[in-house]
Amino acid sequence: METRQLECFVAVAEELSFTRAARRLFAVQSTVSATIQALEAELGVKLFDRSTRRVALSPAGTVFLPEAKAALEAVDRAREVVADASAGLRGSLRVGTLTSVGDLDLPDLLGAFHRRYPLVELHVTVSITGSTGLAEDLRQGRLDVALLGLPESDLAGLDTKLIGSAPFVVVLPDGHRLGDRRSLTLADLSGESFVDNPRGFGNRVALDRAFEAIGTPRRVVVEVADLRAVPAYVTAGLGIAVVPDLRLLAGVRTIPLDEPGLTWPLTIATRGERPPRRTARLLLDLIDGEEFSIAIPVRP
């Protein structure tokens, strides 16, 4: 059994598509199909149920998947140890990040990491399902480290460190009935239409739960992935917004949200069931060290 066979199997199992798996592996589809067939022949079982419309894991494939992932992780760790002992740290580092992370200069951080460990292959991705998707990618081993904005209750199965937090503010259009207030509560905003991030983004998760807790579920009429796009929709009169105060909103007035305990956390996380890969540990060490400071403060 070869490492490449396991990599192909995991890619097809996660994508449930030979075409998408081939793109992910930078290979042609026929090569991926032939590799899976050879692996199935060696194991003596069918790993996938195939039809003209769908690909699904067979019962054997389902139990084989976590073992294949564990084997690949063990191979990666072995390679890292040997390479580090001989010619400098090698390997890969898969980082998941949010569309907006406030004052955290992620390019500067990763640039510092790259200068220190130039042989490590970096891959940075943004999840279209926000922090929820990034957390699941960590749990499934598709990422090594990720920046998350989820409440603590949603971080099960992860090792986390809080590196910053921000209060929420209300964004109102000119002439709004609440525009002269010095602070606002969730109850004040009952009945309004909202502009917000899509479901799955950490701040959206926290606010939806907060409104439901006071018995006033809200109506989100505009969903945008980037907080910097929020002011234009609010100014156009399509709704109001409640967002973390990350100093990203230009040209609009914001009013503090007076809800004790409701803040947006910025957390850095790794998979919790086993120690992080060496490359991930070194990135965490760089954040903890004096050479790189996190610019977004932890606020009350």
Side-chain angles (χ1 to χ4, degrees):
M1 190 181 304
E2 299 177 355
T3 302
R4 187 60 175 173
Q5 291 176 313
L6 296 179
E7 290 172 343
C8 284
F9 167 70
V10 170
V12 176
E14 291 183 342
E15 300 291 344
L16 294 180
S17 164
F18 282 84
T19 301
R20 291 194 296 272
R23 286 199 296 265
R24 169 171 157 179
L25 295 167
F26 302 102
V28 295
Q29 183 174 336
S30 59
T31 300
V32 174
S33 297
T35 301
I36 295 299
Q37 289 172 358
L39 179 60
E40 289 177 325
E42 183 174 343
L43 294 173
V45 296
K46 286 292 184 183
L47 297 172
F48 296 98
D49 295 325
R50 305 168 177 84
S51 70
T52 56
R53 295 185 178 180
R54 62 190 291 270
V55 175
L57 280 167
S58 69
T62 299
V63 298
F64 185 57
L65 180 58
E67 301 300 326
K69 287 183 176 181
L72 289 174
E73 290 173 358
V75 169
D76 284 343
R77 286 194 298 272
R79 286 172 175 164
E80 288 174 356
V81 169
V82 172
D84 194 21
S86 58
L89 182 68
R90 295 176 183 266
S92 63
L93 178 62
R94 300 163 299 173
V95 181
T97 185
L98 306 171
T99 305
S100 303
V101 291
D103 290 339
L104 172 59
D105 193 339
L106 185 61
D108 187 34
L109 170 62
L110 294 179
F113 182 89
H114 177 65
R115 288 189 296 274
R116 180 169 292 190
Y117 308 108
L119 301 180
V120 174
E121 181 181 349
L122 282 170
H123 181 72
V124 183
T125 185
V126 176
S127 173
I128 59 173
T129 51
S131 290
T132 301
L134 293 173
E136 186 59 24
D137 285 340
L138 278 176
R139 295 185 183 101
Q140 296 300 321
R142 293 188 287 267
L143 290 174
D144 300 309
V145 62
L147 292 166
L148 307 175
L150 287 170
E152 186 176 355
S153 59
D154 291 48
L155 299 176
L158 303 175
D159 283 338
T160 63
K161 177 183 178 181
L162 180 68
I163 59 176
S165 67
F168 283 92
V169 293
V170 182
V171 186
L172 302 174
D174 289 339
H176 192 277
R177 62 183 179 86
L178 299 173
D180 59 350
R181 299 280 293 274
R182 301 188 68 172
S183 65
L184 293 165
T185 66
L186 296 179
D188 295 328
L189 308 178
S190 176
E192 296 282 348
S193 297
F194 287 84
V195 179
D196 207 335
N197 289 137
R199 294 184 185 276
F201 282 63
N203 51 298
R204 172 74 181 270
V205 169
L207 284 170
D208 282 349
R209 290 176 183 170
F211 275 102
E212 289 169 3
I214 64 171
T216 58
R218 62 190 180 130
R219 187 167 68 104
V220 177
V221 297
V222 178
E223 295 181 335
V224 291
D226 194 335
L227 286 177
R228 289 167 292 193
V230 167
Y233 290 95
V234 173
T235 301
L238 296 175
I240 68 170
V242 180
V243 297
D245 184 14
L246 299 179
R247 297 183 287 280
L248 297 172
L249 307 180
V252 292
R253 178 169 176 254
T254 61
I255 300 175
L257 182 69
D258 185 13
E259 292 289 342
L262 183 59
T263 59
W264 178 82
L266 179 60
T267 302
I268 191 160
T270 57
R271 193 174 174 186
E273 351 181 298
R274 61 194 63 175
R277 298 169 65 179
R278 179 160 171 72
T279 51
R281 291 199 307 272
L282 290 170
L283 180 67
L284 298 177
D285 290 343
L286 188 59
I287 292 175
D288 288 337
E290 297 179 358
E291 298 177 33
F292 187 89
S293 60
I294 301 299
I296 179 171
V298 176
R299 306 182 200 175

